[in-house]
Every structure is written in structure tokens, then in C-alpha cells.
Amino acid sequence: MDYKNSLNLPQTDFPMQGKLPSREPEFLAHWQSMGLYQRLQEERANAESYILHDGPPYANGKIHIGHAVNKVLKDIINKSRLMEGMRVPYVPGWDCHGLPIEVQVEKEFGRPGEKLSPAAFREACRAYAESQIAGQRADFERLGILGDWQHPYRTMDFRAEADILRELGRLTLAGFVYRGAKPVHWCVDCGSALAEAEVEYQERNDPAIDVTFVAADLPRWRERLHLAADVVPEVVIWTTTPWTLPANQAVAVHPDYEYRLLREGGRWFILATELAETALARYGHPAVETVASFPGRALEGLMLQHPWEERQVPILTGDHVTLEAGTGCVHTAPAHGVDDYLLGLQHHLPTDSPMLGSGRYRADLGAGLGGLSVQEANVRVPELLHARGRLLHREKIHHSYPHCWRHKTPLLFRATPQWFIRMDEGGLRQQALAAIATTRWIPEWGRERIQQMVAQRPDWCISRQRSWGVPVALYACSHCGEPLRDAALFERIATLVEAEGVEAWYRHPDSDFLQGDERCARCGHRHFDKVTDILDVWFDSGSTHAFVLERRPELRSPADLYLEGSDQHRGWFQSSLLESVASRGRAPYRAVLTHGFTVDAEGRKMSKSLGNVIAPQQIIDRYGADILRLWVASEDYRGEIPISDDILARLGDSYRRIRNTARFILGNNHDFTPSRDTLAPSELLEMDRWMLARLGDLQEQIRAAYHDFQFVKVVQGLHQFCNLDLGGLYLDVLKDRLYTTPARSRARRSAQTVLQYILEAMVRWMAPILSFTAEDIWQHMPERPDASVFLSSFVELPQVADAAALETRWQGLRSLREAINTLMEPLRRDKRIGSGLDARVRIDAYGDWFANLRGLARELRFFLLCSDVELRELSSAPAAQEGVPAGLHIGVEPDTDRKCARCWHRRPDVGQHALHPELCGRCIQNLGDEGETREFC
């Protein structure tokens, strides 16, 4: 007789295989058709809000795996807050101005003025950015990122451009903005100054030379240092930038270091005492005579002859001089170094330099240097010095040098007229450091990193010599360069830009902005020049707190969180901080989270040349977006994030375990209606109460992990619960009860009640990470209260009164089960048994073990998955048995009783019922409506 129809076998149309690449778009369409994002905002209008402000990616090119990591992390955080019942508006954005877009447009149309007028060129840049946004937006949505994709922010929107100029006006009125000729990083290929965040350091070889500057005005030297009449001192400098020597204006020494006048043959060299031995060895002059020693301050004000120019330069003292390398005497060119510039500013030195923005000297520069490039000058200058007897040593050194992050070419440090934001005058640096101290940084080391950067950074150069961007919409005094600081003027400019975009600045005559009666506040002159530079794009994105957080009614400032890659400590995090502190006196964020960068399985950076680049589109097409999302959550984002096909394949196994757990529950609860069939905790069987208590504990752990941005703990908790607690124990034990007891019996409804709670909890735990799969499960759940899982919140689980006692008791039983499974293995290996149901178990128990097991004796076989258990009490503790808890002795042997055709247990009563000779007594009982009685499992 076939008893299959008497069993409660699983029934579900929830597919075993996710087929994510083909099915995920269906869920995207479902969310879009129901207006999920807008519905969430409406339904939670009065809920507590959580604001994660999106750092704008650049509107150029396809998204890469780093974009995917960034957006998925943001989405996980936002959705975890949704599950807490919060209102979570997320407005994605794009950075639309700047050089990369210009470069792309130049490839087709050339530079502005060649094929297109400047205005047409800017319009082509705007169109290009628009096209790139469309492609990136589709890719981000395909990842399952929930946000206001229909209304993103873009830095090129007219209102955004106007508000960026309003921020510039605020800072100008506050006195932070000024024009100067400070040295800045200059890219010859960009033809523009670069921001600190646009500079990267690479190792390279450069010439290092030791050069002598001969003393001028010898009577004064002899008087100051008490020198003999025949002594002609030569101060030795060391530099790795020979090309900057034409711009030399001084030599710097440290006021407190000891220096020596050393005689070698007929020459007298001045070197720092601590560096003299190393330097002389370099020159091949180990044997010298010390003529005199003195502190650096004794040299201050003495004059030197430039090595070939017809000018004299002073010796100055400065605390920036170190003894790390060189000679202790520093070549000083105010046009080519920050320390040099500051020292020159103090002593009114000129910032002249013959090096042009093209990377070549002026054509009229003498000594045969005119028109030479930096590379050519690094060869010619040492030759010139050698010919004049001023070169002591020349060698190549390997060192770290600043490069353009776009062109990967070495930069010049060069003084050009630029617009700056003051870091110290007005207290911006100290206010920013104070704001850093009150902000939460995740990981914590981010605080120290940005503190060091802000503490050491120079004034912020905000001007660029390019075409596509928000203009530096200022009028500068024609006489002294002071910007016109007029609030009404700034608003007139911003109002026109808000109506017409940045073209308003170029299209309108000065008379549309100026009133005609303006005077320079510094010098009183009445003539002003319109500035033609554009703003640093970091000022654009650094102002998003103003034109996004403060402008959008659903948002607020400060945001709860900014989240970007760790390079943004010197980029967006810093520019946003400085702009907000300067304009509002506080940070624009309460917390900042940073993530690392993707590498391959060997820890190598993703590179086309290495062939190890994995595009997110490839992962989605092969595995599905949920596997990519699971990978992001499974890795520790605080460091480098490895990815490979092997890593993704292993995640596929983890994913299937989670999916199959949900499928098991859906299949076995196909006839369970929660509103009708749910039992109270007090009515549940003991094992079910234990599992419900464990479920509650795990939910608290997972919620805490989400709150603390510890997504690895979420994934581990979910995977271990499905793999160990459920698949390795609970569901295994439940199968007999679910399949064989009457459909409406307490034993089965108790199991189904807890399974339903597990599914209700799990689907919400999963949703922030496995968004598509969670929605798939949700659509197959009975009596779901909302049209999408994302309209729900973490489920409220009932409390279990005796949770602690249950945990102790059932963890002990778990250790017993594990010991018995180990003892069954030899029988399986020798093919004496197949499954555990082919075995019988004898347990000799002593003390607390016997007391704990005695009440369970009749149901122990269901928990241990064997056909019979004999429990005997021992009067004394048994000898230790390997792998068995103390106080127990266990024996396992094959069970020779007949197998029940319905439950597969081997029982002595099989064959004793005439109508059902193939069934055991328990199954015959379960064919009736009442069925067997269970209390424990």
C-alpha cells in the first residue's frame, strides 16, 4: 500500500534555483510599478528619519566594481534602517563638471574655440555628462539600489550651480577667499592647478645634485664669522629639482642646528655638522679640516652669489629645515615650494619663475636654458653648474613624487595666480579640527587620518584654468586683486545662473552684475576685472550639503552619514567639511564611514594590464546582483576587498543554503495560515520554544550588527543559523513531526508556528543584503501584510519565559546528539547501517544527565534521529569515553526491527496491525485526527 498521500509533504512553487540574472529584473519592474520609493516616503512621513548623503560619482564612463561596492554598502545601510521602521530618503547624485568630461569632448571637437565656440563646447560637455548619467543610473538600479532615481541631484543643474556660487559668495564675504601667487600642484597635461585630492604619489628616479653658493660681500662674512682674509666660504645645497634653480631667491638654514666651515684643499664648504660626514663621502672628500663651527642663526642675513645668475641671494633661517637628507642648507625658490613660499612671504622675496604652465622655460631665459622642458633642464642645469665649478656631486635617487591622478604624469610645484580659501586666517583649520573631533569615524583610524591631513594641508586652491565648470564668479580689483565683497552682487549673479546656468556669467555684460558705484575695500579703486577661472570640482561636491541636504525638503543637514572610499579623507569628506565649517561653523555630517578598494584574490590592484578586472555587469549577468551584494556584505570593507570567480562561487554555495532554508519553510507551511494556526509560546513544544528563544537572541544580534555597520556579522549570523541551527539540527529533527503527524495536530502546528516566525524574521534580515531574494520569498509568504518586504519592519517576536534554562538544557542535548552522530560514523562506513534510523542507541547516564534525559526518554529517538533509545541510570560516573560528554557512556548498534513503510523508523510493533501490516503503531495512530502526543520534540 502507498502511504505517500498520508504524509504532509512540502508543497511550494518557490523555485529551488534563483535564476537571478533573468528573474531579478522582474522584481525591479515590480518595485517601479508600485512606486516603492515614493510609497515608503509617504507611509513613513512622520517616522524618525535617517539621512545618508550620497557622494556624487563622476559622470564619466561605465560603473566599475568600486562603484558597486560603494552603492551596495549605502543600500544595505539604508534598507537596514527601513527595517527599523525609519523614513529613509536617499537622493543619488552626480558630479558633472571638470576635466575628465572636457577631455572626452575634446577628443571629438578639439579644445574650446577650435571647432566649437566656448559656449557650444560647454553645452557639449553638459550633453555628454547627461548621457553618462543615464547609463550609470540604469546600472545602479540593476544592483537593486533603492532611491529617488527620478529626481537625483546633479552639480550641473542650474539651481545647483547657482547655490555653489552662493556658497562662494558666503566664503568671500567672510574673508576666506583671496587671490595669491602661491605654489600649487600644476599638471602640464591638464593645463591647470590640481586639488590635493587629484594628486597621487608614485616612485620615480630623479637627479639629486649638490651645488655650492659662493659667499658675496666677503668683508661682512669675515667680520661676522671672524674669518681669515683668504677664506671664501661656499654654502652647499642639495636638491632633487635642478630645474627650479633659476628661480632660487635664498638659501635656508635652521637657526639652532650646528654648522661647520670645512676646508678641503683650497675651498671652504659650509655644511650642517650632522650631515657633513655623509655629504663629504658623497663628494669623495673624507679628509677635511674644521675651520669653525657656529649655529645657523650666525649666518642669517649674509649674502650668496647665485651660481650663474647676476644676482645675490640671502641666507635665511627657517624651522622647516631638517637633517633627514642633504646638507642642512636648503635651496629656496618661493615659486616652487610651500615652505619656500612661506619663508619668502615673511622676508618679501619675489615669487618669480621662468617656468611656464607648458612645462618649459620662457624663451628669453639666459644661459642656454630658454625654451627647455623640465626634463631637459634637469640635464642642462647640472651641466651648466659643472662648467662653472659649482657642481660637487650628481646622482640618481629613487623617491616618491607627486603625479596627476588622471594623466599619471609628474607634476610641477609652481606659483601661479590662483584663488584660495584661507586655512588659518579666520580660524578655519582649528574649527575643522574641532569638528573632526566631534564626528564619529568608521573605522576609528579615519579620525587620525583626516586630522593629519587637515592639520598639514596648505590653503585650498579653488581655481582651475579650464572651461567646463562653475565659474569663479568674482570681480577682482584691477589695481590690487582684492575680490569685490558685495552680498547683493553675489545674489544677482546667482539669480541669473539659476535661470540660465553657468552661461549667464559669460553671456551677460558686466553692467548686468555691477551697479557702477563699486569701490575696492582695500585700495579704493573703481575698476574691476571679471574672473575667467572655474571652480575646483571639489568645491562643487563639497557644497552638496547646501544645495541638496538643505534644499530638499525630505532631507536635512547635518546628514547622519557620509560614506565613500578611504581616498575621500583628502577628497569629498575634507572639501565638504571645510566648506560647511567655513559657511556654517559645523561639519555637514554626524558620522563618516570609509571602505577600502577592490583587489584580486592575490591582493593585486584591479588593472586592465593584469587582466584581473571584474566588471559588476559581468557578475550580474553570470550570478545575479544578489550574489554581488552578498559578496560586498561578506567582506570586511575596512581594508582591501578581494574578489575573484572562486570567491563568488563559494558565495553561491552560501546563497543556496539560505535560499533552500526558505524553500523548506515555505513548502512545509503551505497549509499554515498565521492568523488562524499560530500557537502561543506556552503551547509550543519545548524544542520549538528553545528555537524561538534562539531566534529572538539572533535577531537582536543582527539588528545590533546592522546598527554598527558590521555586515560581516550579519552574513555570518544568517549563514550559521541556516547551516548549523536549522539545517544541521532543527529542520532535520522537525521533518518527522512535519511529515508524519496529523496536519492540524498540536505537534505539527507548534513546528509550523516557529517556522513561520523564522521565515518572518529571516526575510527581513536578508532584505538589506539579498534584496531580490527577500522579495521573492516575500511574494510566496501567506498573509503578507504589505506589497513588498521593504514596506515592512523587523518582526516583533514573542518572548519565551524560560529562555535561559532552555538554552542550557538544549545545548547539552545538542552535544549529546553530536557525540552519537560521531559514534554512528564507523557503522555507516562499514555499511552496517544507512541512515541513523537503522540504529539503536543505549545511553548510560549518571547524575544530572540522567535527570535531564529521563523525561525525554520516549521522544529522544526523534531528536537523535535513531529508531530506539534505551536510557539507563548509573550509580557512579562512568569511565571517560572519547568524544562523549562526561557523565555518559553511549553504545550504538544496528537496529534489526522491521522498518515502518511510512516513517522509516525500525520498530518492534511493525506488522502487528492487520489493516496496516507495514506500519508502526505510532503511524497508525497518526493516521487518525488526533495523532500521537509530543511534548519535547
Side-chain angles (χ1 to χ4, degrees):
M1 184 174 178
D2 186 1
Y3 289 100
K4 181 177 180 180
N5 291 334
S6 73
L7 298 172
N8 308 306
L9 296 178
Q11 299 176 32
T12 181
D13 57 359
F14 180 74
M16 180 180 295
Q17 294 184 338
K19 296 182 178 179
L20 299 176
S22 60
R23 296 191 63 232
E24 286 173 340
E26 298 173 10
F27 297 111
L28 282 176
H30 169 65
W31 294 331
Q32 290 166 357
S33 65
M34 67 178 290
L36 175 59
Y37 176 81
Q38 190 56 42
R39 185 166 166 182
L40 276 165
Q41 303 313 306
E42 293 169 355
E43 292 189 6
R44 301 192 179 179
N46 298 319
E48 180 185 357
S49 64
Y50 186 84
I51 310 298
L52 190 161
H53 183 36
D54 188 36
Y58 208 75
N60 182 37
K62 290 183 174 295
I63 70 167
H64 52 69
I65 197 68
H67 286 121
V69 169
N70 180 266
K71 280 294 194 287
V72 168
L73 283 173
K74 292 173 181 175
D75 197 54
I76 290 172
I77 292 169
N78 281 338
K79 286 173 177 171
S80 71
R81 271 47 181 184
L82 281 177
M83 289 299 139
E84 293 289 356
M86 303 179 81
R87 180 178 67 83
V88 186
Y90 175 65
V91 179
W94 275 273
D95 210 344
C96 307
H97 297 121
L99 183 64
I101 289 175
E102 280 198 51
V103 170
Q104 294 301 320
V105 174
E106 283 178 4
K107 289 178 181 178
E108 183 175 358
F109 299 108
R111 289 180 176 271
E114 293 180 2
K115 294 181 181 179
L116 296 177
S117 68
F121 182 88
R122 287 189 288 269
E123 190 55 41
C125 289
R126 187 179 293 276
Y128 176 82
E130 186 71 63
S131 70
Q132 299 302 295
I133 289 171
Q136 290 187 8
R137 176 167 50 203
D139 286 342
F140 287 141
E141 289 189 86
R142 180 61 185 86
L143 286 169
I145 312 302
L146 183 61
D148 194 355
W149 294 106
Q150 300 308 307
H151 307 97
Y153 78 82
R154 308 176 311 170
T155 59
M156 67 179 183
D157 288 336
F158 289 0
R159 173 178 260 189
E161 292 173 335
D163 281 348
I164 291 167
L165 290 178
R166 290 186 174 100
E167 292 306 300
L168 176 64
R170 278 192 184 211
L171 271 59
T172 305
L173 287 169
F176 287 110
V177 177
Y178 72 96
R179 187 168 72 172
K182 292 180 63 174
V184 294
H185 286 114
W186 180 273
C187 176
V188 172
D189 294 302
C190 294
S192 178
L194 298 188
E196 290 294 311
E198 297 170 311
V199 178
E200 63 183 22
Y201 286 81
Q202 299 178 16
E203 296 295 315
R204 62 175 269 135
N205 293 318
D206 275 317
I209 60 175
D210 292 77
V211 181
T212 67
F213 282 63
V214 179
D217 191 5
L218 284 172
R220 193 172 172 211
W221 274 85
R222 291 164 183 158
E223 179 184 357
R224 177 82 63 88
L225 300 180
H226 310 293
L227 302 178
D230 62 337
V231 175
V232 181
E234 298 178 61
V235 174
V236 187
I237 65 95
W238 177 84
T239 181
T240 60
T241 55
W243 64 270
T244 64
L245 279 168
N248 175 273
Q249 300 293 341
V251 171
V253 296
H254 196 285
D256 300 325
Y257 294 163
E258 182 182 79
Y259 290 81
R260 288 185 180 179
L261 178 64
L262 303 167
R263 179 178 179 178
E264 197 284 321
R267 302 180 73 175
W268 291 265
F269 302 127
I270 292 180
L271 298 162
T273 297
E274 288 192 28
L275 295 171
E277 183 178 351
T278 304
L280 291 167
R282 208 161 54 230
Y283 313 149
H285 303 320
V288 296
E289 174 191 353
T290 299
V291 176
S293 60
F294 35 79
R297 64 171 55 86
L299 299 173
E300 187 167 21
L302 295 175
M303 301 301 292
L304 300 169
Q305 183 63 45
H306 189 278
W308 71 84
E309 296 279 354
E310 294 299 324
R311 69 170 180 269
Q312 296 180 0
V313 298
I315 297 178
L316 304 175
T317 57
D319 292 336
H320 66 286
V321 178
T322 72
L323 298 175
E324 293 178 3
T327 65
C329 306
V330 178
H331 149 55
T332 300
H336 296 297
V338 172
D339 290 329
D340 300 30
Y341 171 80
L342 294 174
L343 188 64
L345 199 65
Q346 181 181 347
H347 294 278
H348 309 289
L349 299 180
T351 54
D352 299 337
S353 172
M355 183 58 66
L356 304 177
S358 62
R360 291 185 175 275
Y361 287 138
R362 292 193 323 264
D364 62 351
L365 185 62
L369 300 177
L372 295 185
S373 68
V374 168
Q375 293 77 13
E376 292 166 341
N378 276 342
V379 175
R380 178 70 183 110
V381 167
E383 292 174 349
L384 176 63
L385 292 166
H386 179 71
R388 291 178 172 259
R390 296 289 169 251
L391 183 68
L392 287 181
H393 184 70
R394 171 172 41 186
E395 65 182 0
K396 288 285 187 179
I397 67 163
H398 189 70
H399 66 152
S400 178
Y401 191 83
H403 286 65
C404 174
W405 74 337
R406 297 184 184 92
H407 296 100
K408 311 303 179 186
T409 51
L411 301 176
L412 308 182
F413 214 55
R414 144 177 205 273
T416 59
Q418 301 289 345
W419 291 92
F420 296 89
I421 290 176
R422 306 179 198 276
M423 288 298 300
D424 294 305
E425 292 181 50
L428 178 54
R429 191 187 309 276
Q430 291 307 314
Q431 290 180 58
L433 290 171
I436 290 168
T438 59
T439 299
R440 182 186 178 193
W441 298 89
I442 307 140
E444 177 62 30
W445 53 256
R447 182 192 314 278
E448 183 178 355
R449 185 175 186 189
I450 195 170
Q451 276 177 337
Q452 291 177 348
M453 290 178 172
V454 170
Q456 298 171 7
R457 70 159 296 148
D459 287 355
W460 180 4
C461 177
I462 59 170
S463 54
R464 299 291 180 271
Q465 291 68 51
R466 301 297 301 186
S467 298
W468 174 233
V470 178
V472 179
L474 298 173
Y475 281 93
C477 175
S478 304
H479 181 70
C480 69
E482 177 75 2
L484 186 56
R485 306 180 195 273
D486 183 332
L489 168 64
F490 295 143
E491 186 53 38
R492 285 195 296 273
I493 295 169
T495 299
L496 280 171
V497 169
E498 189 165 337
E500 305 173 19
V502 294
E503 284 308 308
W505 180 245
Y506 305 104
R507 181 185 302 136
H508 284 265
D510 293 347
S511 58
D512 285 353
F513 301 120
L514 299 175
Q515 299 293 295
D517 57 353
E518 293 86 359
R519 285 183 178 274
C520 175
R522 175 189 287 175
C523 68
H525 278 248
R526 300 183 60 177
H527 297 289
F528 297 89
D529 297 321
K530 179 187 279 189
V531 177
T532 58
D533 295 339
I534 65 168
L535 281 167
D536 173 16
V537 291
W538 293 107
F539 190 89
D540 289 15
S541 57
S543 301
T544 56
H545 67 93
F547 66 83
V548 181
L549 293 178
E550 293 179 8
R551 279 285 197 180
R552 299 282 290 248
E554 71 272 30
L555 305 177
R556 57 169 164 74
S557 183
D560 292 295
L561 185 69
Y562 275 35
L563 184 161
E564 297 301 329
S566 55
D567 59 335
Q568 295 307 312
H569 288 112
R570 58 202 287 259
W572 189 55
F573 298 150
Q574 192 174 146
S575 65
S576 299
L577 173 73
L578 296 179
E579 206 292 321
S580 182
V581 168
S583 60
R584 281 131 179 97
R586 57 162 174 77
Y589 38 65
R590 293 171 176 164
V592 174
L593 185 149
T594 54
H595 60 80
F597 298 97
T598 54
V599 295
D600 65 15
E602 285 74 47
R604 298 176 302 176
K605 183 179 178 181
M606 293 289 176
S607 166
K608 290 181 181 178
S609 62
L610 293 175
N612 63 352
V613 173
I614 301 179
Q617 297 84 355
Q618 291 176 294
I619 298 173
I620 292 170
D621 291 344
R622 182 175 178 183
Y623 299 102
D626 262 1
I627 300 301
L628 189 153
R629 296 174 66 95
L630 182 59
W631 162 68
V632 172
S634 299
E635 298 292 340
D636 185 351
Y637 60 77
R638 296 171 298 178
E640 292 182 333
I641 306 171
I643 186 170
S644 68
D645 287 333
D646 288 343
I647 291 172
L648 293 170
R650 288 196 296 272
L651 286 172
D653 295 338
S654 178
Y655 171 81
R656 282 185 286 276
R657 168 65 72 179
I658 296 169
R659 184 179 186 89
N660 288 338
T661 300
R663 189 171 187 271
F664 178 95
I665 297 174
L666 288 168
N668 282 285
N669 274 22
H670 66 91
D671 61 344
F672 182 82
T673 302
S675 60
R676 179 193 67 202
D677 301 324
T678 298
L679 300 184
S682 60
E683 300 178 81
L684 299 175
L685 271 62
E686 185 176 310
M687 187 181 188
D688 297 332
R689 291 204 313 279
W690 170 59
M691 190 50 60
L692 181 59
R694 284 187 65 79
L695 182 71
D697 288 343
L698 182 56
Q699 172 152 286
E700 290 309 305
Q701 294 171 27
I702 284 178
R703 290 175 71 172
Y706 271 130
H707 183 268
D708 291 335
F709 312 109
Q710 297 185 25
F711 311 125
V712 172
K713 286 187 176 181
V714 175
V715 173
Q716 289 174 343
L718 179 59
H719 176 73
Q720 290 172 5
F721 185 61
C722 290
N723 195 42
L724 302 178
D725 287 349
L726 299 183
L729 177 63
Y730 186 60
L731 302 186
D732 219 16
V733 173
L734 284 194
K735 288 177 184 176
D736 180 88
R737 193 172 4 138
L738 289 167
Y739 297 170
T740 67
T741 61
R744 296 181 178 84
S745 66
R746 174 191 171 221
R748 187 161 180 270
R749 290 304 192 209
S750 175
Q752 288 178 312
T753 294
V754 174
L755 287 179
Q756 186 63 29
Y757 280 129
I758 290 172
L759 191 64
E760 293 275 4
M762 269 183 51
V763 72
R764 292 166 170 86
W765 302 347
M766 293 164 55
I769 297 169
L770 297 171
S771 295
F772 295 99
T773 302
E775 190 66 66
D776 195 2
I777 294 168
W778 184 265
Q779 298 303 324
H780 287 82
M781 287 171 60
E783 295 187 333
R784 55 186 180 275
D786 299 297
S788 169
V789 64
F790 295 109
L791 293 167
S792 68
S793 304
F794 287 121
V795 67
E796 186 174 341
L797 298 171
Q799 296 295 309
V800 177
D802 51 349
L806 287 171
E807 179 67 13
T808 300
R809 174 181 171 90
W810 284 87
Q811 284 297 357
L813 291 171
R814 193 171 192 166
S815 67
L816 170 65
R817 187 174 189 268
E818 291 169 356
I820 291 172
N821 283 340
T822 300
L823 293 172
M824 285 183 179
E825 280 307 308
L827 299 181
R828 289 193 182 98
R829 191 167 53 248
D830 296 340
K831 302 190 184 307
R832 297 179 65 193
I833 64 172
S835 74
L837 295 179
D838 293 329
R840 66 172 65 233
V841 175
R842 186 191 70 254
I843 302 175
D844 295 330
Y846 172 72
D848 290 342
W849 267 112
F850 182 78
N852 202 25
L853 296 176
R854 180 170 50 187
L856 294 171
R858 191 181 66 81
E859 296 182 30
L860 262 179
R861 65 187 176 108
F862 301 122
F863 179 70
L864 300 176
L865 294 186
C866 60
S867 283
D868 187 53
V869 175
E870 180 186 0
L871 177 67
R872 302 188 307 191
E873 184 177 14
L874 295 175
S875 59
S876 61
Q881 183 180 4
E882 184 179 356
V884 175
L888 294 173
H889 188 277
I890 301 171
V892 180
E893 62 183 18
D895 194 319
T896 58
D897 289 327
R898 289 179 60 189
K899 179 188 288 189
C900 174
R902 184 170 181 269
C903 71
W904 295 6
H905 282 243
R906 293 182 178 273
R907 303 298 295 166
D909 57 356
V910 175
Q912 294 183 10
H913 196 287
L915 290 178
H916 302 287
E918 299 176 82
L919 301 188
C920 65
R922 178 178 72 97
C923 279
I924 293 170
Q925 185 180 3
N926 282 332
L927 291 177
D929 291 336
E930 294 298 324
E932 66 178 305
T933 299
R934 297 270 192 103
E935 292 298 333
F936 298 101
C937 63

